[in-house]
Amino acid sequence: MRKTIFLLGAFISATSLMGENMKELRLASPDGTHEVIFQQRQATPQTSEICYQISYKDQPVIEESRAGLELDNRVWEMALGVRSLKQPACWMDNLEIDSVVTHAPVDNLWHPLYGERSTLRNAYNSATMYLSKKDGSEYRLNIEVRAYDEGIAFRYFFPEHPRAIFHKVTGDLTEYTFPTGTMAWAEDWAQAPFERKAIENMKHPVERALTLELPSGLWAALTDADVDDWCLTKFGRSDSKPNTLTSIMYSPVDVVTYYATPWKIVMAAEKPGELLEHNGIIENLNPPCAIADAAQWVKPGKIMRETTITTEGAIATIDFCAEHHIPYMLFDWLWYVPCTSHDGDATKVVSKLDMPRVIAYGKEKGIGIWVYVNQHALMKQAKELFPLLREWGIVGVKSGFVQYASHRWATWLHDLVRLAAENHLMMNIHDEFRPSGFSRTYPNLLTQEGIHGNEEFPDATHNTILPFTRMINGAADYTICYFDKRLKTTHAHQLAASLVFYSPLQTIFWYDKPSFYQGEPEIEWFENLQTVFDESRVLDGMPGKNITLARRNGEEWFVGMMTNNEGGDASLSLSFLEKDKEYSAYIYTDGGDKVQTRTHVKCSYLRVTSDTTLKFGLKPSGGAAIRLFPSEKEEQKKFRKYNNSVL
């Protein structure tokens, strides 16, 4: 009920209405680029369907497609004495449109606690389609629609049923019919590799965000928002309609009205990078922050894993973190045992680790301690464990192997984040879980995995796909493994990845130890790297080919460039810098055997301006990382002016 009460209040507050008693919902975004139509069509002489279509700049994105939900309320109807009600073949069949109401436009700015950008504009036009049944059942359904410049969002809302009949949602009937020839960048699960394929060639349900290339040259993405009280929904190929995706719910969802489903989002753009730039729509569609004092204790930053699980190893890692400006250290699994059993006890630390001493030493050095906790212990002990961890001085929990897909486990997991917030614990959810904007409401959830990241050592081409697909959803704990010999990319590529793959809690040196560091000069990139930003821009890129992304924190800019397995020449215009200022540029590229370090990263220190265009020869599976900030006079003397050479 926590969510539905908020939604009802928001719904009632929309009092500026017009367009009463229409039978069709038509809506355009504030800039007129996105348009959506919802209407009712006669499917058979006895039944009707709600359908919708979406266009971008007058070009079709979603062709006429079905909308709605399937319910099975028969048992609840019988239990509450409603026993003569005729059951339609589909719950939606006998719904009729009563009216369509257009609401007053919304346009405001707000500031998230942290993010890829420090200011978000929440601007949209909205309307609601009201439907009901005339069979005496007193069932009603509203379809709430918002048109943003970034995309179209809609959801289903059940008003309170006067006879308290519970609603069992057994299926999501929403379909997405695309123009013939549409191609999708699809993955079967959240940590899977991607394949570019036609919709007809999809054999298994695929994840969201789902990025698509339309034959018109447009790009689209399907994703969702505000999903804390729902089950996982994927997209599957329709067996009966060409070029059509269906919605596949992992489990039924039991609803007590009033109730709103998650938002469904359809984004469209001319360039794939615009989809990532516009992913603030997901945050806009989630409730505001629910933690009053979040700014006092939710602190983003970098983190390093301690791999020995010993007191001496932890002390050494804390010293390394303090020296290299890494504010957090993580004890991953095995600090309590057995981790993957209900017999494990996360209130008891293994004997070789003096946890109080480590936590105290960390506080002395300014390093906060995180711990991994497996689902087995979280299920059994969370209510006693979280207060205990706070008492110890632990600042965050990384949850592992958590269930998340069914309605039961989805609500359990999100409630776990709420419980962590009550105990001033930050969280990092690992394995298959993917974000949908919940961190706006509970920013103590800093990040999550849900990505085919460095633990599985993907190649560079895969890494150039991620910014245009998975990263649309939000933060991802990619886990940079900088010194690991199993890497399939160059080290400059890894430096760039730590910027491109946004995460307020950025894991670096995942498989590494302090002893692995041998004075490599480019480590200064990690020392200076920020994990939250005032603005983010995709400057160039195509899935599977390359990505150039720039992020600003204050006056300081960070740029990450990554290429695919083949490499190639690239240029970077610095026109995004402030005019009439000179900047110091710290540039890290793959220098090859000419650089006599294990990582072969070349460090160049140059003076540049907004008129400068840097040239790069990116090696196969390579990249470049650039840090830029306004030059002080003393620094201008140390740095040479860029001479148009290839870096």
Side-chain angles (χ1 to χ4, degrees):
M1 190 62 72
R2 59 186 178 274
K3 175 177 168 183
T4 51
I5 290 174
F6 169 82
L7 295 169
L8 183 66
F11 172 73
I12 293 173
S13 68
T15 56
S16 180
L17 309 176
M18 51 187 173
E20 298 275 3
N21 300 318
M22 296 168 57
K23 297 297 183 181
E24 180 181 81
L25 186 156
R26 285 180 176 265
L27 203 59
S29 59
D31 66 359
T33 55
H34 287 80
E35 293 185 286
V36 59
I37 301 172
F38 274 82
Q39 57 193 357
Q40 196 164 39
R41 67 182 176 191
Q42 205 67 30
T44 71
Q46 292 78 33
T47 64
S48 59
E49 291 180 349
I50 300 297
C51 59
Y52 75 104
Q53 52 192 302
I54 295 173
S55 63
Y56 177 78
K57 294 187 176 180
D58 297 323
Q59 298 184 74
V61 176
I62 303 293
E63 297 180 348
E64 189 174 76
S65 302
R66 189 180 185 184
L69 299 170
E70 178 65 292
L71 276 69
D72 181 5
N73 287 353
R74 181 175 176 274
V75 169
W76 293 118
E77 291 166 0
M78 299 289 285
L80 293 172
V82 185
R83 299 176 182 175
S84 60
L85 187 64
K86 183 179 180 181
Q87 300 290 330
C90 173
W91 189 83
M92 296 286 297
D93 282 353
N94 58 349
L95 279 170
E96 299 179 17
I97 298 176
D98 296 323
S99 64
V100 173
V101 174
T102 303
H103 310 287
V106 171
D107 192 350
N108 55 64
L109 299 176
W110 65 280
H111 304 287
L113 184 63
Y114 56 78
E116 296 180 79
R117 47 198 73 86
S118 58
T119 301
L120 279 168
R121 183 188 179 200
N122 184 38
Y124 60 87
N125 296 321
S126 63
T128 302
M129 175 178 283
Y130 297 90
L131 303 101
S132 66
K133 297 192 177 194
K134 308 301 188 289
D135 58 359
S137 65
E138 299 186 89
Y139 284 126
R140 293 178 292 159
L141 178 71
N142 304 342
I143 302 178
E144 301 177 356
V145 186
R146 293 183 184 180
Y148 292 81
D149 294 345
E150 297 81 8
I152 300 296
F154 63 94
R155 68 181 176 187
Y156 307 107
F157 182 89
F158 292 102
E160 189 170 40
H161 194 281
R163 281 183 280 180
I165 292 177
F166 305 116
H167 289 34
K168 181 181 180 182
V169 182
T170 57
D172 187 337
L173 303 177
T174 310
E175 296 178 338
Y176 306 84
T177 299
F178 291 94
T180 303
T182 296
M183 302 295 292
W185 289 89
E187 57 176 347
D188 292 351
W189 69 95
Q191 298 176 88
F194 283 86
E195 292 183 81
R196 182 179 180 272
K197 59 178 70 175
I199 292 172
E200 286 75 12
N201 295 331
M202 290 183 180
K203 296 181 180 179
H204 306 287
V206 298
E207 275 284 350
R208 83 276 181 261
L210 178 65
T211 299
L212 305 110
E213 299 176 47
L214 277 57
S216 62
L218 294 178
W219 291 78
L222 305 181
T223 188
D224 54 13
D226 198 12
V227 301
D228 62 300
D229 193 9
W230 197 255
C231 68
L232 173 68
T233 301
K234 290 189 175 184
F235 306 109
R237 180 197 66 199
S238 171
D239 294 328
S240 59
K241 300 178 183 178
N243 309 306
T244 299
L245 294 171
T246 62
S247 301
I248 300 177
M249 293 173 58
Y250 186 91
S251 73
V253 172
D254 292 312
V255 168
V256 177
T257 58
Y258 33 80
Y259 183 90
T261 70
W263 289 99
K264 300 176 180 298
I265 303 172
V266 180
M267 303 169 67
E270 294 180 333
K271 298 179 180 179
E274 293 174 359
L275 299 173
L276 180 59
E277 289 182 328
H278 295 167
N279 69 350
I281 187 175
I282 298 174
E283 293 173 87
N284 278 329
L285 289 163
N286 277 270
C289 180
I291 307 174
D293 62 347
Q296 298 175 26
W297 58 273
V298 176
K299 304 294 183 183
K302 294 160 286 192
I303 189 168
M304 181 176 179
R305 180 172 70 154
E306 204 293 300
T307 58
T308 67
I309 314 296
T310 64
T311 303
E312 294 72 21
I315 296 299
T317 303
I318 287 172
D319 286 340
F320 182 86
C321 288
E323 182 180 354
H324 296 284
H325 307 159
I326 303 169
Y328 295 119
M329 186 189 77
L330 166 71
F331 284 117
D332 211 61
W333 77 329
L334 300 181
W335 68 270
Y336 72 95
V337 292
C339 293
T340 55
S341 169
H342 282 106
D343 294 329
D345 186 350
T347 68
K348 297 178 180 178
V349 183
V350 293
S351 59
K352 62 179 179 177
L353 179 60
D354 186 343
M355 186 69 83
R357 180 185 169 195
V358 170
I359 294 171
Y361 189 74
K363 287 182 179 179
E364 180 184 327
K365 292 287 188 174
I367 307 301
I369 308 302
W370 286 61
V371 293
Y372 169 98
V373 184
N374 194 276
Q375 170 155 346
H376 297 80
L378 291 171
M379 287 174 58
K380 184 176 71 172
Q381 298 180 293
K383 289 184 179 180
E384 64 168 313
L385 176 63
F386 282 8
L388 180 62
L389 293 179
R390 182 183 183 183
E391 182 182 324
W392 288 358
I394 296 295
V395 300
V397 173
K398 173 186 168 184
S399 58
F401 297 104
V402 289
Q403 298 282 352
Y404 74 104
S406 69
H407 187 207
R408 175 205 171 180
W409 289 114
T411 54
W412 174 82
L413 185 56
H414 288 89
D415 283 345
L416 191 71
V417 176
R418 293 182 175 94
L419 180 64
E422 292 173 12
N423 291 280
H424 283 198
L425 292 171
M426 294 176 281
M427 284 200 67
N428 173 7
I429 300 174
H430 253 237
D431 303 300
E432 281 288 285
F433 177 80
R434 279 208 170 164
S436 294
F438 189 65
S439 291
R440 177 188 180 184
T441 313
Y442 282 88
N444 63 310
L445 175 57
L446 284 177
T447 194
Q448 50 273 303
E449 190 176 14
I451 190 171
H452 187 69
N454 250 9
E455 282 190 316
E456 302 184 66
F457 299 101
D459 64 16
T461 296
H462 169 80
N463 288 344
T464 63
I465 297 171
L466 291 174
F468 308 103
T469 51
R470 161 62 180 89
M471 298 310 299
I472 292 172
N473 286 87
D477 192 11
Y478 178 85
T479 57
I480 302 298
C481 308
Y482 193 67
F483 291 114
D484 201 286
K485 294 180 180 180
R486 292 169 289 179
L487 289 174
K488 297 176 183 176
T489 72
T490 69
H491 286 85
H493 185 103
Q494 291 292 313
L495 295 175
S498 65
L499 177 82
V500 171
F501 301 138
Y502 165 73
S503 182
L505 184 72
Q506 184 65 260
T507 302
I508 53 179
F509 304 121
W510 173 247
Y511 284 121
D512 303 326
K513 298 178 181 179
S515 60
F516 291 2
Y517 172 62
Q518 296 179 10
E520 288 78 11
E522 75 274 9
I523 297 305
E524 65 187 11
W525 164 266
F526 289 134
E527 293 173 349
N528 292 292
L529 179 66
Q530 302 296 312
T531 65
V532 296
F533 304 94
D534 294 308
E535 62 176 303
S536 298
R537 302 184 190 181
V538 178
L539 303 179
D540 186 37
M542 291 289 289
K545 295 183 179 179
N546 69 295
I547 174 70
T548 300
L549 193 149
R551 302 190 192 274
R552 179 180 63 83
N553 181 294
E555 291 188 299
E556 193 171 25
W557 283 91
F558 298 86
V559 182
M561 304 176 70
M562 299 193 300
T563 187
N564 61 10
N565 296 346
E566 285 73 46
D569 295 333
S571 62
L572 173 63
S573 168
L574 301 183
S575 57
F576 54 86
L577 298 178
E578 191 174 336
K579 302 292 184 184
D580 302 321
K581 269 191 179 182
E582 193 163 55
Y583 284 76
S584 297
Y586 289 66
I587 303 173
Y588 309 96
T589 54
D590 296 303
D593 293 336
K594 294 180 181 179
V595 179
Q596 300 302 310
T597 67
R598 292 176 304 156
T599 54
H600 304 292
V601 172
K602 178 183 177 182
C603 303
S604 303
Y605 305 98
L606 304 172
R607 298 200 317 270
V608 298
T609 69
S610 62
D611 296 325
T612 303
T613 297
L614 300 174
K615 298 178 182 178
F616 296 88
L618 300 180
K619 296 185 180 299
S621 304
I626 304 101
R627 174 178 169 237
L628 303 133
F629 57 91
S631 298
E632 300 292 339
K633 288 185 178 180
E634 290 301 315
E635 289 174 339
Q636 291 176 10
K637 298 175 183 177
K638 299 176 185 177
F639 287 42
R640 66 179 177 86
K641 190 173 182 180
Y642 177 60
N643 61 6
N644 210 37
S645 59
V646 176
L647 296 164

PDB file of all heavy atoms in Angstrom, residues 139-155:
ATOM      1  N   TYR A 139     -15.731  -3.166 -12.131  1.00  0.00           N
ATOM      2  CA  TYR A 139     -14.304  -3.091 -12.461  1.00  0.00           C
ATOM      3  C   TYR A 139     -14.018  -1.826 -13.260  1.00  0.00           C
ATOM      4  O   TYR A 139     -14.789  -1.451 -14.161  1.00  0.00           O
ATOM      5  CB  TYR A 139     -13.872  -4.301 -13.281  1.00  0.00           C
ATOM      6  CG  TYR A 139     -13.703  -5.565 -12.483  1.00  0.00           C
ATOM      7  CD1 TYR A 139     -14.369  -6.727 -12.839  1.00  0.00           C
ATOM      8  CD2 TYR A 139     -12.840  -5.602 -11.384  1.00  0.00           C
ATOM      9  CE1 TYR A 139     -14.206  -7.907 -12.122  1.00  0.00           C
ATOM     10  CE2 TYR A 139     -12.680  -6.772 -10.658  1.00  0.00           C
ATOM     11  CZ  TYR A 139     -13.359  -7.921 -11.028  1.00  0.00           C
ATOM     12  OH  TYR A 139     -13.199  -9.075 -10.308  1.00  0.00           O
ATOM     13  N   ARG A 140     -12.891  -1.201 -12.935  1.00  0.00           N
ATOM     14  CA  ARG A 140     -12.437  -0.027 -13.675  1.00  0.00           C
ATOM     15  C   ARG A 140     -10.933  -0.141 -13.933  1.00  0.00           C
ATOM     16  O   ARG A 140     -10.211  -0.781 -13.174  1.00  0.00           O
ATOM     17  CB  ARG A 140     -12.723   1.257 -12.897  1.00  0.00           C
ATOM     18  CG  ARG A 140     -14.199   1.595 -12.727  1.00  0.00           C
ATOM     19  CD  ARG A 140     -14.375   2.853 -11.892  1.00  0.00           C
ATOM     20  NE  ARG A 140     -13.977   2.629 -10.505  1.00  0.00           N
ATOM     21  CZ  ARG A 140     -13.633   3.593  -9.658  1.00  0.00           C
ATOM     22  NH1 ARG A 140     -13.601   4.858 -10.065  1.00  0.00           N
ATOM     23  NH2 ARG A 140     -13.300   3.316  -8.406  1.00  0.00           N
ATOM     24  N   LEU A 141     -10.500   0.476 -14.997  1.00  0.00           N
ATOM     25  CA  LEU A 141      -9.076   0.526 -15.331  1.00  0.00           C
ATOM     26  C   LEU A 141      -8.779   1.867 -15.982  1.00  0.00           C
ATOM     27  O   LEU A 141      -9.522   2.311 -16.867  1.00  0.00           O
ATOM     28  CB  LEU A 141      -8.703  -0.609 -16.297  1.00  0.00           C
ATOM     29  CG  LEU A 141      -7.234  -0.631 -16.754  1.00  0.00           C
ATOM     30  CD1 LEU A 141      -6.319  -1.041 -15.604  1.00  0.00           C
ATOM     31  CD2 LEU A 141      -7.043  -1.562 -17.948  1.00  0.00           C
ATOM     32  N   ASN A 142      -7.724   2.520 -15.526  1.00  0.00           N
ATOM     33  CA  ASN A 142      -7.258   3.756 -16.151  1.00  0.00           C
ATOM     34  C   ASN A 142      -5.939   3.493 -16.856  1.00  0.00           C
ATOM     35  O   ASN A 142      -5.118   2.714 -16.363  1.00  0.00           O
ATOM     36  CB  ASN A 142      -7.037   4.864 -15.116  1.00  0.00           C
ATOM     37  CG  ASN A 142      -8.266   5.147 -14.278  1.00  0.00           C
ATOM     38  OD1 ASN A 142      -9.388   4.780 -14.647  1.00  0.00           O
ATOM     39  ND2 ASN A 142      -8.063   5.799 -13.154  1.00  0.00           N
ATOM     40  N   ILE A 143      -5.737   4.149 -17.980  1.00  0.00           N
ATOM     41  CA  ILE A 143      -4.444   4.127 -18.660  1.00  0.00           C
ATOM     42  C   ILE A 143      -3.872   5.537 -18.588  1.00  0.00           C
ATOM     43  O   ILE A 143      -4.447   6.472 -19.137  1.00  0.00           O
ATOM     44  CB  ILE A 143      -4.561   3.658 -20.117  1.00  0.00           C
ATOM     45  CG1 ILE A 143      -5.192   2.261 -20.176  1.00  0.00           C
ATOM     46  CG2 ILE A 143      -3.186   3.656 -20.787  1.00  0.00           C
ATOM     47  CD1 ILE A 143      -5.396   1.732 -21.589  1.00  0.00           C
ATOM     48  N   GLU A 144      -2.784   5.683 -17.855  1.00  0.00           N
ATOM     49  CA  GLU A 144      -2.152   6.983 -17.658  1.00  0.00           C
ATOM     50  C   GLU A 144      -0.985   7.116 -18.629  1.00  0.00           C
ATOM     51  O   GLU A 144      -0.122   6.227 -18.696  1.00  0.00           O
ATOM     52  CB  GLU A 144      -1.661   7.119 -16.213  1.00  0.00           C
ATOM     53  CG  GLU A 144      -2.786   6.969 -15.195  1.00  0.00           C
ATOM     54  CD  GLU A 144      -2.281   7.021 -13.757  1.00  0.00           C
ATOM     55  OE1 GLU A 144      -1.048   7.091 -13.564  1.00  0.00           O
ATOM     56  OE2 GLU A 144      -3.114   6.991 -12.842  1.00  0.00           O
ATOM     57  N   VAL A 145      -0.945   8.216 -19.362  1.00  0.00           N
ATOM     58  CA  VAL A 145       0.035   8.390 -20.430  1.00  0.00           C
ATOM     59  C   VAL A 145       0.758   9.715 -20.247  1.00  0.00           C
ATOM     60  O   VAL A 145       0.125  10.745 -19.953  1.00  0.00           O
ATOM     61  CB  VAL A 145      -0.639   8.360 -21.823  1.00  0.00           C
ATOM     62  CG1 VAL A 145       0.417   8.392 -22.929  1.00  0.00           C
ATOM     63  CG2 VAL A 145      -1.532   7.127 -21.969  1.00  0.00           C
ATOM     64  N   ARG A 146       2.073   9.688 -20.404  1.00  0.00           N
ATOM     65  CA  ARG A 146       2.878  10.906 -20.378  1.00  0.00           C
ATOM     66  C   ARG A 146       3.732  10.974 -21.648  1.00  0.00           C
ATOM     67  O   ARG A 146       4.305   9.955 -22.063  1.00  0.00           O
ATOM     68  CB  ARG A 146       3.798  10.941 -19.155  1.00  0.00           C
ATOM     69  CG  ARG A 146       3.073  11.055 -17.827  1.00  0.00           C
ATOM     70  CD  ARG A 146       4.080  11.160 -16.678  1.00  0.00           C
ATOM     71  NE  ARG A 146       3.422  11.180 -15.386  1.00  0.00           N
ATOM     72  CZ  ARG A 146       4.065  11.267 -14.218  1.00  0.00           C
ATOM     73  NH1 ARG A 146       5.395  11.343 -14.212  1.00  0.00           N
ATOM     74  NH2 ARG A 146       3.398  11.269 -13.084  1.00  0.00           N
ATOM     75  N   ALA A 147       3.828  12.168 -22.203  1.00  0.00           N
ATOM     76  CA  ALA A 147       4.668  12.398 -23.379  1.00  0.00           C
ATOM     77  C   ALA A 147       5.784  13.360 -22.989  1.00  0.00           C
ATOM     78  O   ALA A 147       5.534  14.534 -22.721  1.00  0.00           O
ATOM     79  CB  ALA A 147       3.841  12.961 -24.528  1.00  0.00           C
ATOM     80  N   TYR A 148       6.992  12.846 -22.929  1.00  0.00           N
ATOM     81  CA  TYR A 148       8.190  13.633 -22.664  1.00  0.00           C
ATOM     82  C   TYR A 148       8.912  13.890 -23.988  1.00  0.00           C
ATOM     83  O   TYR A 148       8.714  13.159 -24.969  1.00  0.00           O
ATOM     84  CB  TYR A 148       9.150  12.873 -21.748  1.00  0.00           C
ATOM     85  CG  TYR A 148       8.695  12.648 -20.332  1.00  0.00           C
ATOM     86  CD1 TYR A 148       7.824  11.609 -20.007  1.00  0.00           C
ATOM     87  CD2 TYR A 148       9.168  13.448 -19.299  1.00  0.00           C
ATOM     88  CE1 TYR A 148       7.432  11.384 -18.689  1.00  0.00           C
ATOM     89  CE2 TYR A 148       8.784  13.228 -17.980  1.00  0.00           C
ATOM     90  CZ  TYR A 148       7.920  12.200 -17.694  1.00  0.00           C
ATOM     91  OH  TYR A 148       7.541  11.977 -16.387  1.00  0.00           O
ATOM     92  N   ASP A 149       9.813  14.875 -23.985  1.00  0.00           N
ATOM     93  CA  ASP A 149      10.682  15.057 -25.146  1.00  0.00           C
ATOM     94  C   ASP A 149      11.592  13.850 -25.318  1.00  0.00           C
ATOM     95  O   ASP A 149      12.073  13.583 -26.417  1.00  0.00           O
ATOM     96  CB  ASP A 149      11.541  16.318 -24.990  1.00  0.00           C
ATOM     97  CG  ASP A 149      10.712  17.593 -25.008  1.00  0.00           C
ATOM     98  OD1 ASP A 149       9.533  17.539 -25.422  1.00  0.00           O
ATOM     99  OD2 ASP A 149      11.242  18.643 -24.602  1.00  0.00           O
ATOM    100  N   GLU A 150      11.825  13.112 -24.227  1.00  0.00           N
ATOM    101  CA  GLU A 150      12.720  11.953 -24.270  1.00  0.00           C
ATOM    102  C   GLU A 150      12.009  10.664 -24.677  1.00  0.00           C
ATOM    103  O   GLU A 150      12.667   9.686 -25.041  1.00  0.00           O
ATOM    104  CB  GLU A 150      13.363  11.742 -22.896  1.00  0.00           C
ATOM    105  CG  GLU A 150      14.254  12.878 -22.437  1.00  0.00           C
ATOM    106  CD  GLU A 150      13.500  14.054 -21.844  1.00  0.00           C
ATOM    107  OE1 GLU A 150      12.264  13.928 -21.636  1.00  0.00           O
ATOM    108  OE2 GLU A 150      14.126  15.091 -21.576  1.00  0.00           O
ATOM    109  N   GLY A 151      10.678  10.627 -24.576  1.00  0.00           N
ATOM    110  CA  GLY A 151       9.972   9.404 -24.915  1.00  0.00           C
ATOM    111  C   GLY A 151       8.550   9.404 -24.387  1.00  0.00           C
ATOM    112  O   GLY A 151       8.091  10.363 -23.762  1.00  0.00           O
ATOM    113  N   ILE A 152       7.865   8.306 -24.631  1.00  0.00           N
ATOM    114  CA  ILE A 152       6.480   8.113 -24.187  1.00  0.00           C
ATOM    115  C   ILE A 152       6.481   7.112 -23.036  1.00  0.00           C
ATOM    116  O   ILE A 152       7.159   6.078 -23.085  1.00  0.00           O
ATOM    117  CB  ILE A 152       5.604   7.580 -25.329  1.00  0.00           C
ATOM    118  CG1 ILE A 152       5.582   8.563 -26.506  1.00  0.00           C
ATOM    119  CG2 ILE A 152       4.193   7.291 -24.830  1.00  0.00           C
ATOM    120  CD1 ILE A 152       4.964   9.911 -26.191  1.00  0.00           C
ATOM    121  N   ALA A 153       5.702   7.416 -21.993  1.00  0.00           N
ATOM    122  CA  ALA A 153       5.554   6.504 -20.861  1.00  0.00           C
ATOM    123  C   ALA A 153       4.068   6.276 -20.600  1.00  0.00           C
ATOM    124  O   ALA A 153       3.259   7.202 -20.721  1.00  0.00           O
ATOM    125  CB  ALA A 153       6.229   7.080 -19.619  1.00  0.00           C
ATOM    126  N   PHE A 154       3.708   5.041 -20.267  1.00  0.00           N
ATOM    127  CA  PHE A 154       2.316   4.767 -19.881  1.00  0.00           C
ATOM    128  C   PHE A 154       2.275   3.619 -18.882  1.00  0.00           C
ATOM    129  O   PHE A 154       3.194   2.806 -18.788  1.00  0.00           O
ATOM    130  CB  PHE A 154       1.438   4.477 -21.099  1.00  0.00           C
ATOM    131  CG  PHE A 154       1.815   3.249 -21.901  1.00  0.00           C
ATOM    132  CD1 PHE A 154       1.208   2.024 -21.660  1.00  0.00           C
ATOM    133  CD2 PHE A 154       2.760   3.327 -22.904  1.00  0.00           C
ATOM    134  CE1 PHE A 154       1.534   0.902 -22.402  1.00  0.00           C
ATOM    135  CE2 PHE A 154       3.098   2.213 -23.662  1.00  0.00           C
ATOM    136  CZ  PHE A 154       2.487   0.997 -23.409  1.00  0.00           C
ATOM    137  N   ARG A 155       1.203   3.604 -18.108  1.00  0.00           N
ATOM    138  CA  ARG A 155       1.001   2.545 -17.132  1.00  0.00           C
ATOM    139  C   ARG A 155      -0.495   2.327 -16.939  1.00  0.00           C
ATOM    140  O   ARG A 155      -1.329   3.142 -17.349  1.00  0.00           O
ATOM    141  CB  ARG A 155       1.661   2.890 -15.794  1.00  0.00           C
ATOM    142  CG  ARG A 155       1.013   4.050 -15.052  1.00  0.00           C
ATOM    143  CD  ARG A 155       1.733   4.347 -13.751  1.00  0.00           C
ATOM    144  NE  ARG A 155       1.172   5.513 -13.074  1.00  0.00           N
ATOM    145  CZ  ARG A 155       1.702   6.066 -11.991  1.00  0.00           C
ATOM    146  NH1 ARG A 155       2.804   5.558 -11.465  1.00  0.00           N
ATOM    147  NH2 ARG A 155       1.140   7.121 -11.424  1.00  0.00           N
TER     148      ARG A 155
END
